[in-house]
Amino acid sequence: MAPVVTSVSPAQGAPAGGTNVTITGSGFTGATKVKFGPNGTNFILVSDTQITAKTPPGTGTVQVTVTAPTGTSTQNVFFTYAQAPVLTSLNPTSGPTSGGNVVTLNGSNLAGATSVKFGSNSAVILTNTATQITAIAPAGPPSSVNVTVTTPGGTSNALTYTYTAIPAPVLTSLNPTSGPTSGGNVVTLNGTNLTGATTVLFGPSPATILTNTATQITVSAPPGTGPVNVTVTTAGGTSNALTYTYVAASVPVLSSLSPTSGPTSGGNVVTLNGSNLAGATSVKFGSNSATILTNTASQITVSAPAGPPSSVSVTVTTAGGTSNPLPYFYLAAPTLSDLSPHLGPDTGGNTVTVFGTNLTLTNAVNFGGNPAAAFTVVSDNQLTVTAPAGSGTVVVTVTTPGGTSTAATGNPYYTYLGAPVLTSLTPSHGADVGGDAIVLSGSNLTFTDAVTFGGVPASFSAISDTQVVATSPGGAPGTVNVVAQTPAGSSNGLPYVYDPS
């Protein structure tokens, strides 16, 4: 009976030949020839059921046959000439001398890898496909080594991998050291040698790395329960562990807001005080979300959203639920429609009545850039104000929690006047029966509202800021003082002589 071939092991080898194989079957006694496809090769007859041989050069998949005096085998047992593996890249191309980091090898013909070598040291193969291998790098001294892959097709070209003396990461603190079981809160890890962190583990669960420097990492904590060890892995190895505790989140409680009101435009900072506020995911003013600025367990600061004039409920939501509501009032900005008077002395101190709307909660009144010395809220539509000192024409503004008024509407302008000064009278005397035209010369006379001769009012006309013409009233023969008066006060007196008729 002709020989029977049942298997060849290994069933793959390099195209150059030279692979040691074992052929198993029966009827091998007296075998005279072993062929791999058309090519014969040297062999050793071990027994009637086993032959060892060294493959000849070849390509593709070929049939293995044994010839003996009784004939040639015909079974379909094949040997494949595998192509040699080729490496195209490593990632990363360097790592710590302690090894233990995962390196990805990319290339072709990588299937069936039997070894991955870093220099003379073997790596642990984790995954293996025709185009990629992942392996755990072995330890090695600080140096560059050749990385090769061996498959049944042979040994690949070499790529360079560098062992560097990268110090292992060290953790010194976590902030916070606890958080909700749902995760999602930001945790800051402080320490040294943290650059290039590849993994941050909370127990067995990886966290999402948000930022990473040599001394600090911020992460979004994964969900978890109980106390867990937090570690950081870099190219230098894995850090020491610090304890982080998952706690069942409590419902947040609000105790106060400051301030409790603000403008409809929003944008003002509001401080929320309470308990169980850590890890706030939202702060709502009614149905509108505020921008969270700072957040601790007992306090949150936010930038208030815009809202219409009304009262709304402010709530905080954390992993523990949604808080009790506290009222917040959106206030319309004040408006000014008029002042009385619009003129006053540059020394200030006079009383000005301010008319407008939304004035009840006034907390400041300014004349230009100068704050009023004092003010009284008469009603939502009226204030009385003690004017500060100033100069020129300025805009009067009122500030409330709803904002500051503008000059867009109404007449909120106030003009500061210098006190009137008289320098001469022409003529300086006249008939005691009166009726003479007297020219008063001086300064700050434009807004003259009264002229008196010895206290007796005279009719007059303000010609310019430096001249007023008055008609002298009748008076007893003798000398009297002529005085001009404006909203800024009374002038000095100049003597006027009544001549007897």
Side-chain angles (χ1 to χ4, degrees), residues 419-449:
V421 176
L422 293 181
T423 57
S424 67
L425 303 177
T426 305
S428 60
H429 62 88
D432 59 0
V433 295
D436 295 315
I438 310 299
V439 176
L440 291 70
S441 298
S443 58
N444 303 323
L445 302 178
T446 298
F447 295 99
T448 298
D449 53 23

Side-chain angles (χ1 to χ4, degrees), residues 10-21 55-56 58-60 79-84 151-154:
Q12 295 184 79
T19 302
N20 292 315
V21 298
T55 61
T59 59
F79 180 86
T80 300
Y81 286 98
Q83 292 183 306
T151 70

Side-chain angles (χ1 to χ4, degrees), residues 332-414:
T335 64
L336 298 188
S337 58
D338 205 358
L339 309 176
S340 180
H342 285 277
L343 307 170
D346 54 13
T347 55
N350 56 307
T351 297
V352 177
T353 301
V354 177
F355 301 96
T357 61
N358 306 319
L359 305 180
T360 298
L361 299 178
T362 297
N363 52 40
V365 179
N366 282 275
F367 283 60
N370 300 321
F375 62 87
T376 299
V377 176
V378 177
S379 69
D380 196 52
N381 303 110
Q382 185 175 324
L383 308 173
T384 57
V385 182
T386 301
S391 61
T393 297
V394 298
V395 175
V396 176
T397 59
V398 171
T399 299
T400 73
T404 299
S405 65
T406 69
T409 59
N411 185 16
Y413 297 97
Y414 183 84

Side-chain angles (χ1 to χ4, degrees), residues 257-279:
L257 305 178
S258 178
T260 57
S261 58
T264 56
S265 59
N268 54 307
V269 175
V270 179
T271 300
L272 296 76
N273 299 298
S275 56
N276 309 322
L277 304 181

Side-chain angles (χ1 to χ4, degrees), residues 6-19:
T6 57
S7 67
V8 58
S9 179
Q12 295 184 79
T19 302

Side-chain angles (χ1 to χ4, degrees), residues 168-173 189-192 194 229-232 237-243:
V170 176
L171 287 179
T172 55
S173 66
L189 295 76
N190 298 298
T192 56
L194 304 181
N229 286 330
V230 176
T231 58
V232 174
T238 299
S239 72
N240 58 303
L242 295 180
T243 301

Side-chain angles (χ1 to χ4, degrees), residues 415-487:
T415 300
Y416 284 102
L417 304 176
V421 176
L422 293 181
T423 57
S424 67
L425 303 177
T426 305
S428 60
H429 62 88
D432 59 0
V433 295
D436 295 315
I438 310 299
V439 176
L440 291 70
S441 298
S443 58
N444 303 323
L445 302 178
T446 298
F447 295 99
T448 298
D449 53 23
V451 175
T452 57
F453 283 62
V456 178
S459 61
F460 68 92
S461 177
I463 305 302
S464 68
D465 197 54
T466 60
Q467 196 172 79
V468 172
V469 176
T471 301
S472 63
T479 301
V480 296
N481 277 330
V482 176
V483 175
Q485 181 177 300
T486 72

